[in-house]
Amino acid sequence: MITKNIFKYLAACFVCCGLSVAFTSCSSDEDPFFSASEDDYPRIINTDLPEGKGGEPAALPSIERTTNFTCEVIVTPAHYTTVTWFVDDEQVGEGLKIDVPVLAGDHLVKVVATTTKGLSTYRLLTLNVRPAADDPELAKDGRSRWLTIGTTKTIECKNVKNNVTKVFIGKTEASNVSYADGKLTFDIPSMDEGEYMVSIEADGMRYGCGVFTVSVDEYVDPGIKETTIWEGAVDINWGDANVFLSSEEMADVPVGATVRLVYEIFDAEYHALRITNQDWSSDIVPQIDGFENQPNPFEFEFTADMKGIADAKGMLITGFGYKLTKVVIVEGVAPAETTLWEGDPVDINWGDANVFISPEEMANVPVGATISLQYEIITAEYHALRITNQDWSSDIVPQIDGFENQPNPYEFTYTADHKAIADAKGMLITGFGYKLTKVTYK
């Protein structure tokens, strides 16, 4: 009788992440939940706390940044087990319940149950925290979200009332942070390459700003072709040291291209740039004094007149007081839009109607591409989007509730993590309350 009363009590209190569960089976004195001892292996027994598949974490319901992450677990052996909570490998709580604020972004939650005898188990879950409407926001285009190690980054930043004082790339703090006129500038430290969530301290609070790529390489826009036509290290000094590109080397540079000069300023009595032809008879860029005040890299558009000069007598880069390290030709080429899926419009309805794009169809989508979903909102009790894989075990875009408020088409940048998921088990576009009409990338 006592056992049954305990069971009824637990059934009434079984709550996790805001969802209630009712037990429907009967218990007995042999039930391991009641008979487990400190020598038994621990278990997390919530049926409403999802378990991942294939080694991938399951997804928790998304929340808004202004709502604390709350959850409760039931473990066995109950009297001999301690529960520890981690968000992105950082311990945030201990005990059966958690109630903590979490920055906006995608997070990995780990729930670890450990007995007094040192036996342990855990459960991995993903948590998507949506930013509040007026939270500070960093630009989301591919170039803005590419951080080249050892460089200074300037990025558009909205919804800041006063100032941004700190920038964190993962757990690493950036240096030389400044904010003015809607632009945030900081130095990118030496760190491991990879994808990191960036957060900022603005107006006295810390905000998550999404995932950025950290790399030793410079960013190249999709649809932009960059060709290095000269590379070295020459201390430019008028007639004594210049860089000359012959007519043959300049022949393939098209009108309308951008010529980019990468350089370093060094101590000198003055600094000047001049770009002319082999015999100094026709200038491509007339002399610029005070060259130390110019942007670096220095760029100019290659006009038809300039091409006429260079094709006849080459291009000579001269001046004084700077070291030239690279000359790059940048051409804009319209990125080709490739259709991944198009057909009869599908009224997306979770398991009943989805669009699945196979690993073979996803194989050619490159990292950094923009994937675009064209859709129509239909009358429904709610609207949600989730992009996952074939067996729903790994999300590419965690569930977005209130999908009717998203841009149309809905676009996202295809990351290395996304590609690993889709190349293995394809991409499944699901949700509720909208009609999918086309999926493309470019």
Side-chain angles (χ1 to χ4, degrees), residues 49-70:
L49 194 63
E51 292 193 62
K53 297 178 181 179
E56 296 293 333
L60 290 165
S62 63
I63 60 174
E64 190 173 87
R65 195 267 307 163
T66 54
T67 301
N68 277 8
F69 168 49
T70 60

Side-chain angles (χ1 to χ4, degrees), residues 35-48:
S35 60
S37 72
E38 63 180 324
D39 294 317
D40 289 311
Y41 202 82
R43 288 191 299 138
I44 298 171
I45 62 176
N46 297 55
T47 58
D48 58 340

Side-chain angles (χ1 to χ4, degrees), residues 43 76 99 101 115 125 128 159 166 197 264 287 352 371:
R43 288 191 299 138
T76 180
D99 187 347
T115 68
L125 308 118
N128 171 250
N159 297 339
K166 292 184 179 181
M197 191 178 86
E264 301 170 12
Q287 183 169 328
D352 293 332
I371 293 183

Side-chain angles (χ1 to χ4, degrees), residues 264-385:
E264 301 170 12
I265 290 292
F266 55 78
D267 288 338
E269 60 231 73
Y270 71 98
H271 306 86
L273 165 76
R274 181 182 173 187
I275 302 178
T276 186
N277 61 356
Q278 188 171 20
D279 61 8
W280 303 59
S281 62
S282 298
D283 280 350
I284 293 172
V285 176
Q287 183 169 328
I288 299 173
D289 295 313
F291 186 55
E292 69 275 18
N293 298 317
Q294 293 294 314
N296 191 356
F298 175 80
E299 297 181 343
F300 63 93
E301 182 180 343
F302 198 57
T303 67
D305 287 344
M306 293 174 180
K307 184 168 179 61
I309 295 170
D311 284 355
K313 295 183 179 180
M315 184 171 79
L316 180 74
I317 304 170
T318 186
F320 188 80
Y322 68 96
K323 177 182 292 187
L324 188 66
T325 59
K326 191 183 289 188
V327 180
V328 180
I329 305 303
V330 183
E331 300 174 62
V333 291
E337 185 175 86
T338 302
T339 298
L340 282 170
W341 176 87
E342 187 174 21
D344 292 333
V346 175
D347 289 354
I348 300 296
N349 184 11
W350 295 118
D352 293 332
N354 304 309
V355 168
F356 177 67
I357 303 172
S358 70
E360 292 75 21
E361 293 170 299
M362 295 298 299
N364 292 326
V365 182
V367 172
T370 298
I371 293 183
S372 176
L373 276 60
Q374 297 179 28
Y375 65 94
E376 301 169 12
I377 290 294
I378 59 178
T379 302
E381 63 228 66
Y382 70 97
H383 305 85
L385 166 74

